[in-house]
Amino acid sequence: MTRFVAELPERVEIDGAAFSRVDSNDSIACWTLITDSEHGDSRPVSLVIEPAAAPDPTVLELAATVVARFDEFSELAAGYLRQRLREPEFRLRRSEVATLDAPEAPFDEPEAVIWADGSWMLRFAESGLGMADPYGIGVLFDGTRPSAVEDLSGADPA
């Protein structure tokens, strides 16, 4: 397996943007691109392929869409969280629900992760909500539509 991983490209080009391979164990391959938004914030997008292999064309196409529409997807995900997190299953405190109505969404530092099967998540690394501690909160997407909230509070840091 190690020989195969060593043969993976160090860079993956998508619409002129270069994703750089990140060191990882032999079971996965990961490439990351960090661009800046119009506000100067970083916008990381990662491709995670498990088992380790080069990303297929459909994943590359999805990555191009995510990169091009990152700010739009971030706003869409924040709106989705503002709506969904009011549901009783998420057990937010009253004060946390009130922050969902604030002019600025209580979610920051978005990053996208795209997996080999074409599924992807936009994760907000920072949020004042208790359920976002310590790994943030994610929104899973089905194509270009938010489809589920990913509670990362019990995630394994591996």
Side-chain angles (χ1 to χ4, degrees):
M1 182 73 130
T2 302
R3 194 176 120 231
F4 175 73
V5 170
E7 295 172 4
L8 292 172
E10 288 299 316
R11 293 167 49 105
V12 175
E13 297 280 332
I14 303 172
D15 285 348
F19 283 69
S20 299
R21 196 164 125 215
V22 178
D23 286 336
S24 59
N25 66 42
D26 291 348
S27 66
I28 66 169
C30 181
W31 292 266
T32 298
L33 170 72
I34 300 177
T35 62
D36 292 327
S37 75
E38 58 190 39
H39 308 293
D41 302 329
S42 66
R43 304 180 315 179
V45 178
S46 297
L47 307 174
V48 178
I49 312 298
E50 185 177 14
D56 69 37
T58 57
V59 169
L60 297 177
E61 185 177 318
L62 175 59
T65 300
V66 171
V67 169
R69 297 173 57 189
F70 192 95
D71 291 335
E72 175 188 343
F73 290 136
S74 295
E75 289 178 25
L76 195 59
Y80 182 79
L81 287 172
R82 283 181 188 240
Q83 177 186 5
R84 288 288 318 276
L85 293 178
R86 297 171 190 284
E87 296 172 9
E89 70 184 273
F90 296 107
R91 298 186 183 111
L92 294 187
R93 295 184 311 267
R94 188 176 307 232
S95 61
E96 291 178 313
V97 171
T99 66
L100 298 176
D101 293 324
E104 286 292 317
F107 317 108
D108 200 14
E109 296 187 26
E111 59 184 49
V113 178
I114 302 166
W115 292 285
D117 64 0
S119 61
W120 71 284
M121 175 177 62
L122 197 136
R123 178 180 78 98
F124 292 97
E126 294 294 324
S127 175
L129 302 178
M131 73 178 289
D133 186 37
Y135 303 111
I137 187 168
V139 175
L140 296 172
F141 278 75
D142 181 8
T144 59
R145 291 181 308 110
S147 60
V149 173
E150 185 73 7
D151 178 355
L152 302 171
S153 61
D156 183 2

